[in-house]
């Protein structure tokens, strides 16, 4: 177990380089299952989710090699050639829900896979029913026994019309990955529009797949017989960039954020600009400067291009510093407001209206406290709160942050923050 010790009160200043997007790279790794050729990814973030995915794929028989590219950027070379153990165990699913993205590529390429239900038998929360139904629509036979899906398509998958009842990012990606090698045309309606989905489409098309976004929410995939190797650069992580933008705003700082596409961050930057944060678009990112006072805001999370659920908790820290009453409505997840209790410990004034809605009154100074984090984005949120507090906080549950933020403390230290990691 490790902890962060953070002493706030320093305005963060300088440049920060954003890593490749976690929510793109994990699916691109799975896409390597679609060909025997080598697939090479650049701008691969050094985060533990990538290491878990790499370990899972290597257990199946993939060859993976990680090296450092230009300017220390992570490079990952993968080859599915030796994949022969078409079994994704419970251990992988327990460590990382996104291991379920291997379902579509393994099934379409090898005709069968046994894959653990993420969360074991706990089907209630963050289920994968839409992924499974999409595979069945493509002709797979899937049986669920003892926490595992036994999926088969001995004579291959067939193109079909998949209509999602609501937007699912990984569900869209799993269906699309499977459809690339299916016979005939697949249409996905109510498809996710996240930039990470489009980056995956770009990689797949460069491998020889035929995928077109014929309308914002509609994908058409013409199955092909085989795909070939590729070299692809992962887009910058808009969620990491958003986290640093809030760090600038709540510490009275001035940060230039490099390596991210500002167009991917429209809802977020419009929201914080509306609250008074000074945002300037640059060639390869954003410059974010704090203001003396902020205005309250009302935010509802939505699938892209709406306000990202993954930036909802970090935004709450800015709301504690805004003048008036802000409101949050989390529409994607049922349980993503738990972090508010930790913010209250630090002095925030937050009223939880129900599991999905909260009101935040500000501005309130935050105070250093001992806080616990339970997930990745809550972790980033506590770091932001601790940076804006004037004294010292102790944050436990650091491993959650390492899942998705590359070298967060050294990036923050380079901007002037006082943050250290200790073994506890
Ligand atoms: N859902 C179902 N059934 C399904 C699939 C999803 O009910 O079969 C529900 C989920 O429980 C959730 C909603 O649909 O309430 C949307 O979930 P979605 O499938 O879109 O989420 P995901 O693809 O599993 C990705 C990101 C998440 C991000 C969400 C929403 C990855 C690896 N993860 O998850 O990222 O919050 O999309 O944008 O891409 C994070 O980075 O911290 C993170 C959790």
């Amino acid at each position: 177990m490790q902890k962060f010790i953070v002493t706030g009160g320093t305005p963060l200043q300088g440049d920060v380089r954003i890593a490749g997007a976690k929510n793109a790279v994990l699916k691109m790794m799975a896409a390597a299952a679609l060909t025997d050729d080598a697939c090479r990814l650049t701008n691969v973030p050094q985060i533990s989710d990538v290491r878990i995915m790499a370990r899972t794929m290597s257990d199946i028989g993939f060859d993976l090699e990680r090296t450092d590219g230009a300017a220390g950027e992570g490079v990952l070379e993968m080859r599915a050639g030796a994949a022969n153990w078409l079994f994704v165990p419970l251990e992988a699913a327990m460590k990382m829900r996104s291991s379920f993205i291997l379902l579509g590529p393994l099934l379409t390429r090898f005709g069968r896979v046994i894959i653990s239900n993420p969360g074991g038998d706990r089907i209630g929360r963050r289920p994968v029913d839409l992924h499974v139904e999409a595979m069945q629509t493509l002709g797979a036979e899937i049986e669920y026994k003892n926490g595992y899906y036994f999926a088969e398509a001995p004579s291959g998958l067939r193109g079909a019309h998949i209509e999602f009842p609501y937007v699912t990012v990984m569900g869209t990606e799993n269906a699309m990955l499977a459809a690339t090698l299916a016979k005939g045309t697949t249409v996905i309606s109510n498809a996710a529009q996240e930039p990470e989905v489009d980056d995956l489409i770009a990689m797949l098309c460069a491998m020889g797949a035929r995928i077109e976004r014929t309308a914002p929410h509609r994908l058409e995939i013409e199955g092909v017989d085989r795909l070939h190797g590729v070299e692809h650069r992962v887009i910058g992580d808009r969620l990491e960039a958003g986290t640093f933008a809030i760090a600038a705003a709540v510490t009275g700082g001035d940060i230039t954020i490099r390596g991210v596409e500002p167009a991917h961050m429209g809802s977020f930057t419009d929201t914080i600009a509306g609250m008074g944060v000074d945002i300037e678009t640059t060639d390869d990112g954003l410059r974010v400067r704090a203001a003396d006072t902020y205005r309250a805001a009302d935010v509802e999370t939505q699938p892209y291009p709406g306000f990202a659920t993954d930036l909802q908790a970090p935004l709450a820290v800015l709301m504690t510093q805004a003048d008036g009453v802000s409101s949050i409505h989390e529409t994607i997840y049922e349980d993503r407001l738990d972090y508010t209790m930790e913010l209250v410990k630090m002095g925030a004034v937050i009223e939880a209206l129900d599991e999905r809605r909260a009101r935040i009154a500000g501005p309130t100074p935050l105070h250093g406290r001992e806080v616990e984090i339970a997930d990745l984005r809550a972790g980033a949120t506590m770091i932001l709160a601790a940076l804006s507090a004037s004294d010292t906080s102790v944050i436990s549950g650091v491993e959650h942050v390492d899942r998705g933020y590359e070298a967060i403390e050294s990036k923050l230290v380079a901007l002037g923050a006082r943050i250290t990691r200790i073994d506890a």
Side-chain angles (χ1 to χ4, degrees):
M1 280 282 286
Q2 293 182 319
K3 293 183 179 181
F4 282 135
I5 312 290
V6 184
T7 303
T10 313
L12 299 193
Q13 271 165 350
D15 281 25
V16 64
R17 175 148 289 282
I18 296 305
K22 167 180 87 75
N23 291 347
V25 72
L26 298 170
K27 305 26 171 330
M28 292 170 175
M29 292 171 73
L34 296 170
T35 174
D36 256 350
D37 299 347
C39 295
R40 191 178 143 92
L41 295 175
T42 59
N43 202 28
V44 173
Q46 312 241 19
I47 53 175
S48 64
D49 271 10
V50 166
R51 286 192 286 275
I52 294 168
M53 188 69 166
R55 165 65 69 89
T56 303
M57 289 171 62
S58 140
D59 288 349
I60 296 174
F62 284 75
D63 287 327
L64 293 101
E65 195 188 348
R66 187 173 177 125
T67 49
D68 282 338
E73 240 180 52
V75 175
L76 188 62
E77 194 156 316
M78 301 161 293
R79 207 182 256 279
N84 52 12
W85 180 241
L86 301 167
F87 175 71
V88 182
L90 178 61
E91 194 199 356
M94 273 170 44
K95 285 192 184 136
M96 198 178 67
R97 175 184 149 80
S98 22
S99 59
F100 206 70
I101 197 67
L102 287 163
L103 170 65
L106 291 176
L107 183 60
T108 200
R109 177 82 199 292
F110 301 105
R112 69 199 161 86
V113 57
I114 301 169
I115 187 164
S116 175
N117 179 20
D121 277 320
R122 264 185 344 135
I123 297 180
R125 270 176 151 195
R126 295 192 70 187
V128 286
D129 53 326
L130 301 179
H131 301 232
V132 172
E133 282 165 22
M135 298 305 141
Q136 288 167 329
T137 305
L138 293 172
E141 285 168 19
I142 304 188
E143 212 187 323
Y144 184 63
K145 270 192 304 198
N146 306 325
Y148 282 90
Y149 291 98
F150 291 72
E152 271 194 295
S155 43
L157 297 174
R158 288 181 309 277
H161 185 187
I162 297 167
E163 182 153 12
F164 286 115
Y166 45 89
V167 174
T168 159
V169 176
M170 275 217 298
T172 300
E173 292 165 331
N174 236 336
M176 179 170 79
L177 287 159
T180 55
L181 293 177
K183 291 188 188 74
T185 307
T186 298
V187 174
I188 304 179
S189 304
N190 210 11
Q193 298 180 66
E194 270 64 7
E196 294 77 18
V197 179
D198 281 344
D199 200 27
L200 178 62
I201 294 175
M203 173 185 174
L204 291 168
C205 289
M207 292 170 76
R210 295 179 56 195
I211 306 174
E212 205 183 327
R213 195 179 277 283
T214 51
H217 267 303
R218 182 183 161 98
L219 295 173
E220 283 190 30
I221 302 134
E222 188 68 47
V224 295
D225 289 339
R226 67 175 297 272
L227 295 176
H228 52 75
V230 69
E231 168 153 349
H232 182 82
R233 186 167 203 281
V234 182
I235 54 168
D237 195 311
R238 64 195 165 102
L239 306 170
E240 185 193 8
T243 305
F244 278 100
I246 295 196
V250 298
T251 63
D254 177 353
I255 301 183
T256 299
I257 298 170
R258 300 192 189 281
V260 70
E261 172 53 70
H264 295 165
M265 300 182 66
S267 267
F268 172 78
T269 46
D270 286 355
T271 301
I272 65 168
M275 293 175 77
V277 180
D278 183 358
I279 308 245
E280 196 187 305
T281 300
T282 64
D283 283 353
D284 66 342
L286 302 167
R287 178 167 178 195
V288 183
R289 275 175 286 194
D292 292 335
T293 56
Y294 296 112
R295 291 178 284 280
D298 299 311
V299 168
E300 184 173 291
T301 61
Q302 288 294 339
Y304 190 85
F307 192 95
T309 172
D310 300 325
L311 287 172
Q312 177 260 110
L315 181 74
V317 181
L318 181 58
M319 288 173 161
T320 67
Q321 302 310 304
D323 204 356
V325 178
S326 295
S327 71
I328 288 179
H329 180 192
E330 170 58 59
T331 73
I332 311 284
Y333 295 115
E334 283 167 11
D335 55 354
R336 242 191 179 182
L337 293 180
D338 287 357
Y339 70 88
T340 55
M341 290 188 293
E342 301 301 285
L343 283 184
V344 167
K345 276 195 209 163
M346 297 177 77
V349 177
I350 305 182
E351 182 192 3
L353 302 177
D354 58 37
E355 281 192 324
R356 290 174 179 257
R357 287 169 215 258
R359 281 204 204 111
I360 301 180
T364 47
L366 299 180
H367 307 292
R369 289 285 182 272
E370 282 212 19
V371 290
E372 280 271 344
I373 55 182
D375 74 58
L376 169 62
R377 305 298 167 193
T381 304
M382 288 309 129
I383 294 175
L384 292 170
L387 289 170
S388 92
S390 51
D391 43 4
T392 299
S393 299
V394 180
I395 304 174
S396 32
V398 163
E399 64 281 1
H400 295 293
V401 180
D402 293 335
R403 295 187 61 165
Y405 289 90
E406 177 182 280
I408 190 157
E409 74 268 35
S410 46
K411 288 186 181 182
L412 286 170
V413 165
L415 296 170
R418 286 176 286 170
I419 172 168
T420 49
R421 180 188 292 252
I422 56 159
D423 285 316

